[in-house]
Amino acid sequence: MPPPCPRALPRSAPVLLLAAGLMALSACDPAPVLDGRITAAAAAAHYPVLEPLPPLLARAAAPDRTAPGTGPALDSTSAGLRARAAALRGPVIAPAVRARLQGGVSQPALR
C-alpha cells in the first residue's frame, strides 16, 4: 500500500498569499515629511505644564461647576425625555390590527 500523500494546499492559497503580500507591502510606507509644516511660534513654544491629578479631580467634583440655570433646564429636558420614553413603551401595533393579523389570511380569498 502506498504511503498517504501529504495534504495539498487549497486552490485559493496563491490568491491569499498574494493578498497578504500586497497588504504587507502597503504597510511599508515611509513616514510623512513634516518639515516646514510647523510654524516658528509653535516650534518655539514651551511644553504644557503638567498638573497633579488630585486638585483637578477636586475641581471637577465641586458642586458649583454648572451655571445657575442649568439644573432646572436639565430637569425639564429629562422630564420631556422620560415622557417620550413612556409614550414609546406602548404597543407598536394597535390591538384591533393585531387581532386581525393574528387571524391570518382566509384561504377562500386565495382561490
Side-chain angles (χ1 to χ4, degrees), residues 87-95 97-98 101:
L88 290 173
R89 284 191 194 101
V92 175
I93 300 174
V97 175
R98 181 180 293 277
L101 289 172

Side-chain angles (χ1 to χ4, degrees), residues 27-57:
C28 296
D29 191 28
V33 179
L34 298 177
D35 295 337
R37 292 188 182 200
I38 299 174
T39 64
H46 296 289
Y47 283 103
V49 177
L50 296 178
E51 293 189 24
L53 190 59
L56 292 174
L57 292 176

